[in-house]
Amino acid sequence: MSLNARLSKILRDIWDNKPRSLLVIFTLAIGVAAVGMIFNTVRMMKRDMFGQYAARNPAHLALYISPFPEKLAQDVEAMREVAEAEALRSVSAFTYDGKGARKDLNLLASPDFDEANINRFVIEQGAGAPSLRGILIERNAAHRLNLHLGDPFIVEMENGKRYTLTIDGIVHDMTIQPYSITAEVQGYVAMTTLEWMGEQPFYNQLLLIVADAHQDATGVLQVGAQARDRIIEPGGYHVGAMQVRGEPDPGDFWARKQIDGVLLVLQVMSVLGVLLSIGLVVNTISAVLMQQTRQIGIMRSVGATRRQIAQMYLAYVLALSMLGLLVALPLGLAGAAGLMAIAADFLNFNISKVNLPVDVFLLQAGLGLAMPLVAALFPVLRSSRLSVYDAIYQNGLGSGEPQKGWLLRQLARIRAIAPPISLSLRNTFRNKSRLGFTLATLTIAGAMFMAVFSSYATIRRQIDELGRYIAFDASISIPGGANKYTVEREALRIPDVKVAEGWASANGVIVYADGRESDRIEFVGLPLHSQTIQPRLVQGRWLQVGDNGKVVVNEDLLAKVPHLRVGDSVEVKINGQKRTLEVVGVVSKHMSGARIYMDYDQLTRLTGRRNQVDSVRVLATPGAFSQPAEQSLIGKKLEKRFENAQLSQSSSRTRHEIFDAMAKAFNILLIILLLVAGILAAIGGLGLTGAMGLNILERTREIGVLRAVGASHRSVRQVVVVEGTAVALLSWVFSALISYPVGRLLSEAVVSVAFDTRPTFQYSFAGLGVWLAVVILIGVLASLAPARDAVRLTVREVLNYE
Amino acid sequence: MNEAILKPQSVSIRSIATPQNSPLIELHQVYKIYESGAGKFTALKGIDLTIEHGEFAAIVGKSGSGKTTLINVLAGIDRPTSGEVIVAGAPVHRLDEGELAAWRGASLGIVFQFFQLLPTLTVLENVRLPMDFCNLFTPAERDQRARALLELVGIAEYADYLPSQLSGGQQQSAAIARALANDPQIILTDEPTGNLDSRTAEQVFSLLQSLADNGKTVLMVTHDDELAARAKRVIALKDGEIVA
Amino acid sequence: MKYSSATSRQSIHASEGALIELRSLSKSYITPAGRTPALRGVNLSISPGEFAVVRGKSGAGKSTLVNMIVGIDRPDQGEIWVAGVAVHQLSEDELARWRGKNLGVVFQFFQLLPSIDLVQNVMMPMEFLGLYTPKERRQRALNLLEHVGLGGHTHKRPAEISGGQQQRVAIARALANDPPILVADEPTGNLDSRTSNEILDLFSFLNTQGKTLLIVTHDKNVAARASREIEIADGQIISSGSIDASPRAVSTNLNASLSMTRGNQL
């Protein structure tokens, strides 16, 4: 009731101009909410996902060792450098889902699940350790395959024998990649159950936690090498490979690096968004000040000092910002909860609680309250400094606006366009700071939008690149290997199959000059004239007949041995023996990890597995790929024939399935990026709507004049819409100009976190086209409401506007 | 003075043609009542007025006498509360905003006190604008005609200037040229000299006078008694009624 | 008590008795057409309690003159003394405070703040100057509105009342800080004749209450009520003599009109 008149004016100005106030509030709210959503997601993921993961005591290193007894683990654990070591048995098997489709199954057996301390899982349902003929299922697979406690569970061993186990429990294991990503079911059984299913009771993996928790990957590998050299190999066991678990640091969550990268990109985008929305708010505030110039003059003439005026308008900004923040806080929290729900499901972790941490709140409050104030300071001070005379005496068109400068005079020279259109076009340039802010927003939104498209194109390109290396209709792996000729003959007995190639593979390491060894490297032995690979050579040449000791490496390997060039030699260790190989070519990266390609005979000679192959790749039509359904059929026939021939029980993989899985993983990423680009576009659209609304408001009188000289509804609307579209198109030109570098930056960020590699950038012209359409739509939509307002103005209102 | 440009064009531009024998402007019992929170205010109290082709009439009266309301009603800018307004054969009081815009563009040229040229368009483009809106003449003819009109009002050399580069008198001349763009029968001016010094005001007034001499009907709102006295007819308003 | 504007030497020594004193005031504006002089060496002195009108045609310089006195516009040359203060030397903020305390300004277009109600419009100057307590401000604003005959409209917004009523509120606002001087620029320019008369009655009444009035107008009716008429043409004062109208004669008139207005509301 007895509100202070100044405060009352502020509140009234907000209330009386609801559309404008709401525009400011929501523009600000979207930006601040986006920041809250992303930063809070980061906080909660760190707390929940990384926190929960750390609590599972994750392994630093896994050693793949020839069959060994549990005692070996105790010996390794006794080492000074090792904090903990545990033996684990991993067996590949299969199971069947409700529809009878075969699924990959990985069975893990620990000496004692109750005592197991490394890579701990949490039992969510059930009693505890698996009993004899019992199995624990990882929950991500259990949920997706609709498996419940007490259900029977079919296990098909590689020898084709089937066993029915009972589900003793549902567990949550964060240390493995979940079923949602790998499509491999994770099961935990007692060693006695494995024995019951005909397996020998030995272990084949050793998990290590090093004593010095701050070791990097190299240090951890060194500890592994010490264990191997001092304990394992002297004991008569053979270490096939060592794998550091966790990136960037050992013991980190398996997707930590990727998630950190994606979150960083999102954080940058959201901050960009909030800065843009603040810019747009300043646009509106400047316009309000311009509009209230006379009122400011009156207040000054009844005794207000400049400071009092500045305080009033800053209070106005603060009030709007507070309302914006009020909207932004729950919106941001809801967004974060949504993102967390998606992430938790996809990455298989638990959300402990959804809350708003103090620092995220402070960040939002700081950006949402302080930044608009700081940004509005300039226009507010400028307005409060206006002399009373200038503030009060404004009359006629164009007065009160700064003298038109060089730009307008240049534009006035363009004579080819009819006045109604050039009126729109020149109006575009009238308020340069407003145009600047609006353009900046739309330009950045557009560049980001196009960058997402380019990232998509780049990822597609990497996947296509992968396609060159999986140029088959279907392939099937043969665990343990089989005779090359038998395998190829059996495959060719399938009527559709015209090409069948048996490939050999082996694991090894690179030995550096200083004697250190690298991570696991895959050696691939393939026919010299293979038809199921279409390598793209980056350097050098492909394998030739008579290439003795000559190999081709892929770009991923170059990441491990940076200075490797064609013609260089590389020392490797394979099958326990050191060899020096000459690099004759480098092929493109294809998401396979580091690989060395060599002639089949050369490799089998090295591994001593002559005439043995580990997989077979088939093609129905040489030089062409079959349809997905046909590929799937070929795959099924392959499974059947190999099963009958007792060659392999693996499930086949078709080219199409591999692509599909890849695309699925990236789609989530792209959708999130597109969402953020969409938020930016929304901010841009709101900005343009606001700017157009302000333009109309300020040019009420001009619109009246247009009416007076005979402009119809259509003409007035056209003047407004053409102007809005012109701004949109202009922003498109600017975003097109920066879309290449921005797209490259984002693509590299996304791909490098996802593939750990610098991609071959692919610019998306489709993005350019799509954004053109979107931005025109934004331009038209953003000017429709202002145009409607403009049309509504009658000449009388306009000319008697005082 | 180039008189040809003021003669009715051979191209017919008026869909609502006026028989030459009936008056150009007729007002019957026009009332205008404004309602506000403070109550009713009657701005026009039953105005009856007839203006013939080619008249040069000054509308005088003090502030609040209703003269601006009268001219707004004539121009279809404001609607009468009751009564009829027939201008150039069109029932102005019954047209909707869209029809009004078209009618106004073709039949009326309005000159405002504060010139009201669009600041982003050159002088020539300002004059061309009404022709573009009403789609009169070919685009090439529009430029020619705009130039000829600027010649007529004596500021041809400023055709490609922006309004802000012109003096007040020059701006008002440009506004008059714009009012003539569609060759309307009627020129309405509201205090055309109100913002000009006496010498410039005189030039603008003679320009209006010469338009009347060349067959245009000119209505001028003014509170300058001397200026009004020089018009052929003076319509004096007081408190919403015609007193002379 | 009247000084001839022509005798500038005399006015310099007469400053003690004058409330408003202008000395050799010059001002010109730069327009696209060139330099236009608005005031050419104006000398003027107004004593406490005067009801002075400034008359002249559009462009004669009368608004410029008033703007100089209220410190809205600054002279190119010359001095402005109001109640012993050298207005031409004050900074913009000093001017704002000085004006708020010493001058009530009334504009042609009322210039009320549209978003707040009438009481708050009247309270605004008191708040800016920090005069009175918040409670007193409100009471004072209500009294002033009552005083100008708008006691029944205190919570309406400016757009909800007529032009004449808005001008009364503007006058109430001008009186908010109880300044000794009221300056008005065409206060009746936008009003019909009856409403104009009511406003003028109010001015006359205020004059009888001791306020010094300076009103710019081209309305002859206003001049008829003034104690002094100053005529200006082409930036120079061409006459500054007095008219001996009796301001007191209208005071009963005012009371009648005030009560009539109030009667209308009830």
Side-chain angles (χ1 to χ4, degrees), chain A residues 1 3-6 8-9 12-13 16 294-295 298 300-306 308 388-389 392-393, chain C residues 29 67 72-73 92-93 96-97 99-100 107 111 113-116 120 125 127-129 155 157 173:
Chain A
M1 176 70 193
L3 266 183
N4 175 314
R6 278 178 282 175
S8 194
K9 169 164 165 49
R12 279 288 180 187
D13 283 342
D16 287 353
R294 189 173 299 205
Q295 293 192 34
I298 295 160
R300 290 284 299 282
S301 76
V302 300
T305 60
R306 290 169 167 179
Q308 284 173 319
V388 182
Y389 181 81
I392 293 185
Y393 293 95
Chain C
Y29 294 103
N67 287 338
I72 282 178
D73 204 355
E92 278 278 331
D93 275 344
R97 306 206 70 85
R99 196 189 301 125
F107 301 92
Q111 309 285 23
L113 298 179
S115 52
I116 52 179
Q120 285 168 329
E127 276 185 25
F128 281 129
L129 270 287
H155 292 299
R157 297 234 228 148
R173 180 179 64 186

Side-chain angles (χ1 to χ4, degrees), chain B residues 173-222:
Chain B
S173 299
I176 292 173
R178 181 176 66 185
L180 292 169
N182 288 342
D183 194 27
Q185 288 170 292
I186 306 163
I187 304 290
L188 283 183
T189 74
D190 188 0
E191 304 273 9
T193 59
N195 256 35
L196 301 175
D197 63 51
S198 40
R199 198 171 54 87
T200 321
E202 180 56 37
Q203 287 168 357
V204 168
F205 182 79
S206 345
L207 186 54
L208 291 171
Q209 215 162 24
S210 71
L211 294 179
D213 294 344
N214 283 282
K216 297 287 178 200
T217 305
V218 179
L219 293 184
M220 177 180 73
V221 168
T222 182

Side-chain angles (χ1 to χ4, degrees), chain A residues 520-705:
Chain A
R520 186 164 62 168
I521 305 270
E522 191 183 0
F523 287 80
V524 178
L526 72 170
L528 278 176
H529 300 291
S530 171
Q531 294 182 67
T532 62
I533 185 169
Q534 297 158 1
R536 187 167 69 82
L537 283 146
V538 182
Q539 289 176 45
R541 60 166 176 83
W542 185 241
L543 301 167
Q544 284 176 2
V545 180
D547 274 350
N548 201 355
K550 291 177 180 167
V551 297
V552 170
V553 301
N554 66 0
E555 284 181 298
D556 302 74
L557 191 123
L558 289 191
K560 291 190 190 296
V561 193
H563 302 296
L564 198 63
R565 292 283 174 278
V566 166
D568 289 353
S569 289
V570 58
E571 192 173 15
V572 299
K573 196 164 156 192
I574 183 167
N575 207 20
Q577 294 176 301
K578 283 189 185 169
R579 298 282 168 158
T580 302
L581 300 169
E582 189 195 335
V583 176
V584 294
V586 178
V587 293
S588 63
K589 195 172 276 275
H590 45 278
M591 299 190 289
S592 60
R595 266 186 179 179
I596 293 177
Y597 288 98
M598 57 202 296
D599 177 35
Y600 171 80
D601 292 328
Q602 297 267 324
L603 179 66
T604 49
R605 209 173 297 143
L606 281 179
T607 55
R609 294 171 68 234
R610 299 297 296 266
N611 291 332
Q612 292 282 300
V613 292
D614 301 290
S615 65
V616 64
R617 311 167 132 214
V618 304
L619 205 51
T621 319
F625 301 113
S626 306
Q627 293 302 306
E630 292 162 354
Q631 286 189 348
S632 181
L633 199 66
I634 293 170
K636 288 270 176 314
K637 287 180 181 169
L638 213 54
E639 283 173 22
K640 187 89 183 148
R641 173 145 297 280
F642 276 52
E643 205 180 326
N644 290 343
Q646 297 196 335
L647 279 171
S648 165
Q649 297 290 327
S650 288
S651 30
S652 65
R653 295 202 305 160
T654 66
R655 177 185 163 85
H656 177 73
E657 280 166 8
I658 297 170
F659 280 165
D660 222 32
M662 286 284 178
K664 214 158 63 185
F666 287 112
N667 281 347
I668 289 191
L669 197 63
L670 289 170
I671 286 168
I672 291 174
L673 286 174
L674 207 57
L675 178 84
V676 179
I679 290 175
L680 289 175
I683 293 174
L686 281 178
L688 186 57
T689 310
M692 292 305 298
L694 299 173
N695 287 348
I696 300 309
L697 212 61
E698 279 168 18
R699 291 184 215 140
T700 306
R701 203 182 294 245
E702 279 178 49
I703 291 162
V705 173

Side-chain angles (χ1 to χ4, degrees), chain A residues 397 403 409 412 415 419-420 422-423 426-427 430 701-702 705-711 715 794-796 799, chain B residues 72 77-78 97 101 104-105 112 116-122 125 128-130 132-133 147 160 164-165 178:
Chain A
L397 293 184
Q403 195 74 13
R409 281 202 295 280
R415 300 264 293 283
S422 58
L423 181 66
R426 287 177 207 165
N427 278 345
R430 281 178 68 178
R701 203 182 294 245
E702 279 178 49
V705 173
L706 293 183
R707 291 298 226 172
V709 301
S715 306
T794 65
V795 186
R796 188 181 75 79
L799 294 180
Chain B
N72 282 349
I77 287 172
D78 208 347
E97 277 284 327
R104 204 183 290 127
F112 304 94
Q116 310 287 19
L117 296 171
L118 296 164
T120 51
L121 294 185
T122 62
E125 287 167 329
R128 233 194 90 155
L129 199 61
D132 284 304
F133 280 135
R147 237 169 243 291
D160 296 326
S164 57
Q165 297 168 290
R178 181 176 66 185

